[in-house]
Amino acid sequence: MMDLLGSIWWMVVSLGILVTFHEFGHYWVARRCGVQVLRFSVGFGRPLWMRRNAAGTEFAIASIPLGGYVKMLDEREYEVPAGQRQYAFNNKSVWQRIAITAAGPAANLLLCIALLWLVFVIGRQDYSATLGVSTGLAAEAGLGQGSRIEQIDGRRITTWSEATMALTMAAMDGRDASVQLRQADGSSSQRQLPLSRLPEGFDERQVTALAGLNWAFMAVPARIGQLVPGGAAEGVLLPGDLILAIDGQRVEDASQVPALINQLGTAGHPGLIEVQRSGQRLALELSPQQDRSQADNPRWLLGVQFAAVPMPEHDASQRYGLVAALPAALRETARLAADTLGMMRRLVTGNASLQNISGPVTIARVANASAKRGVDWFVYFLALMSLSLCIINLLPIPILDGGHLLYYLIELVKGSPLSEKSMALGQSIGLALLAGLMGLAFYNDILGLF
């Protein structure tokens, strides 16, 4: 229940901040261009709070906190008295209308840069891209335990999350990734991770796990926390046992156990499970049990749950001085924008799954999780959301700012505005596209909950 309330609260806070800045961009430039602004609303529906300033603009906070709007004087919407027509939006030059429309996304872009500057001044705490025990494709490629990823396909890597994103993009494109490593002894080496060999239809959210990559900070000792009643380990292993080896293969991380148990079960004979118990090393014979609950992918199970361990201290911090933080924020903004546009391109070409489209439920959950991790992570989340809002609003879809900018560019080329019939058709198409995207986003959100 607390997670639900926290998610709702942080989503409202996040959207409130982002929408306020976006609409303020429209409002500020409109006033500079001499347009009468009738209402500045954060949220839709019935106003919960309202004030009017000396210029006659109503400032409101409405009951549905899923957006906002700036309502301007406009002859296309209602009759405007002759004495006020010079203050109507539709009577301004096309360049002024372009400036007013582009000001919302521009405000979100500036907010993103400012927030990232703040993140780098505070210091963003994270984990380095240091590898734990590798298996599968990663082990074949020579990505050994203790080495740290410094570059992927020529892109500088500072944290594990940056490495995960870069590898996911490469996997979506169906290509291998060139990985530069810094070994534990300080030497540097180059490896090719064959991501093109991932199975068809792989889960794009699990690329690193499917490639056999494990991060050092996620390493969990294979110490048994409790036994599953009726499981294979019952009567053989005990809570507190530390698994050291399975059928002669050394175990250093709990993440290795499922694959080794599958190998043992597939072999079709009992195996030796070596454990440390009360300071003694024991070799115990055990046969895994097959889980047939998933008919298309049966697994072999040991029947244990591993003991939880606290997260280690962060070993990577992105922190700069007041001046140096600005170019760092600009670089990070450019990187995030490239990743976002790259993901959009992959969605259009079919290289990325439509499951990557998320809606308000996912946003709320991520906002809550970011807030729990600290101020640095929540501010970083706000920066990313602000940049996403900027990019999405610039898409040439009628109803969005980008759609209106497209209309104005056409007007510049042809020398006159589009007909009302053409704009109405565009609005209908835009509504249909947005409704489809929102429906898909909600579907993915609900699917994600289960």
Side-chain angles (χ1 to χ4, degrees):
M1 176 58 104
M2 292 304 295
D3 266 353
L4 175 61
L5 293 176
S7 296
I8 293 172
W9 166 251
W10 288 114
M11 182 186 73
V12 170
V13 170
S14 301
L15 290 180
I17 293 171
L18 300 179
V19 169
T20 299
F21 270 85
H22 180 92
E23 299 304 335
F24 182 77
H26 291 309
Y27 168 80
W28 190 83
V29 176
R31 294 297 298 133
R32 303 286 83 72
C33 292
V35 175
Q36 173 66 48
V37 178
L38 303 178
R39 177 175 288 186
F40 181 125
S41 178
V42 177
F44 299 105
R46 185 175 63 84
L48 301 176
W49 174 91
M50 184 181 292
R51 289 289 185 275
R52 187 190 300 269
N53 68 2
T57 303
E58 295 176 341
F59 292 86
I61 298 176
S63 55
I64 305 175
L66 296 177
Y69 62 92
V70 168
K71 184 178 182 180
M72 304 176 201
L73 196 66
D74 195 319
E75 290 182 305
R76 295 169 299 180
E77 296 184 21
Y78 36 73
E79 188 175 346
V80 176
Q84 293 185 328
R85 287 175 185 167
Q86 61 179 318
Y87 305 115
F89 175 80
N90 63 290
N91 288 327
K92 297 301 177 180
S93 72
V94 65
W95 286 110
Q96 286 178 311
R97 282 177 277 142
I98 287 175
I100 294 168
T101 303
N108 281 126
L109 177 62
L110 292 174
L111 177 61
C112 171
I113 295 170
L115 290 173
L116 288 174
W117 174 84
L118 179 60
V119 166
F120 290 137
V121 169
I122 295 172
R124 182 180 176 226
Q125 303 300 314
D126 206 343
Y127 295 101
S128 65
T130 303
L131 299 174
V133 178
S134 297
T135 59
L137 297 176
E140 290 178 29
L143 275 68
Q145 182 180 13
S147 55
R148 188 176 72 251
I149 297 177
E150 291 191 323
Q151 287 187 24
I152 296 176
D153 294 331
R155 172 173 166 175
R156 183 172 175 267
I157 299 298
T158 305
T159 66
W160 74 280
S161 50
E162 292 176 357
T164 299
M165 176 60 74
L167 293 173
T168 300
M169 295 292 191
M172 287 178 177
D173 294 338
R175 58 182 173 81
D176 299 339
S178 176
V179 181
Q180 182 177 313
L181 298 172
R182 177 69 60 183
Q183 306 292 352
D185 61 5
S187 62
S188 182
S189 63
Q190 200 81 17
R191 297 286 188 270
Q192 284 291 118
L193 183 60
L195 296 174
S196 59
R197 288 168 51 191
L198 289 176
E200 190 175 346
F202 64 88
D203 187 343
E204 295 164 359
R205 296 163 296 183
Q206 302 292 330
V207 166
T208 53
L210 292 171
L213 276 174
N214 294 295
W215 305 110
F217 78 93
M218 291 183 177
V220 175
R223 187 176 299 280
I224 299 172
Q226 62 186 61
L227 305 177
V228 176
E234 192 173 41
V236 181
L237 302 179
L238 296 176
D241 286 353
L242 178 63
I243 299 177
L244 303 175
I246 296 176
D247 210 25
Q249 298 189 59
R250 186 177 176 183
V251 173
E252 298 184 26
D253 188 338
S255 63
Q256 297 173 265
V257 174
L260 294 176
I261 291 298
N262 264 329
Q263 289 179 22
L264 179 58
T266 304
H269 59 73
L272 290 179
I273 309 294
E274 298 179 46
V275 301
Q276 186 179 67
R277 181 186 296 171
S278 302
Q280 294 184 315
R281 188 180 184 116
L282 306 176
L284 307 170
E285 190 176 80
L286 186 148
S287 296
Q289 289 181 349
Q290 191 171 29
D291 174 22
R292 298 184 180 275
S293 61
Q294 299 181 14
D296 58 336
N297 185 29
R299 300 176 299 161
W300 293 89
L301 303 177
L302 184 57
V304 302
Q305 292 181 2
F306 294 110
V309 296
M311 292 292 287
E313 294 292 324
H314 292 102
D315 63 348
S317 177
Q318 295 173 289
R319 188 171 187 176
Y320 302 89
L322 293 175
V323 176
L326 181 56
L330 292 171
R331 288 194 301 270
E332 185 71 358
T333 300
R335 185 184 72 82
L336 291 174
D339 285 346
T340 303
L341 292 171
M343 179 62 76
M344 288 181 173
R345 174 179 61 80
R346 291 175 176 90
L347 287 169
V348 172
T349 59
N351 286 349
S353 169
L354 294 178
Q355 290 180 344
N356 290 291
I357 298 176
S358 301
V361 176
T362 299
I363 292 172
R365 293 170 67 187
V366 175
N368 188 40
S370 301
K372 286 181 177 179
R373 293 187 70 173
V375 174
D376 53 341
W377 277 88
F378 182 67
V379 175
Y380 188 86
F381 164 78
L382 282 179
L384 178 57
M385 289 299 300
S386 190
L387 180 62
S388 299
L389 190 60
C390 166
I391 292 173
I392 290 171
N393 265 284
L394 287 175
L395 294 177
I397 299 175
I399 292 185
L400 298 179
D401 292 330
H404 293 296
L405 290 173
L406 178 62
Y407 288 160
Y408 302 144
L409 290 176
I410 293 173
E411 182 179 340
L412 281 174
V413 172
K414 70 189 290 281
S416 61
L418 280 173
S419 66
E420 291 188 10
K421 184 178 180 180
S422 298
M423 286 193 284
L425 177 61
Q427 298 288 80
S428 299
I429 294 172
L431 274 173
L433 285 172
L434 285 181
L437 285 173
M438 288 178 65
L440 178 61
F442 272 110
Y443 173 78
N444 288 339
D445 279 350
I446 294 169
L447 203 64
L449 291 174
F450 295 97

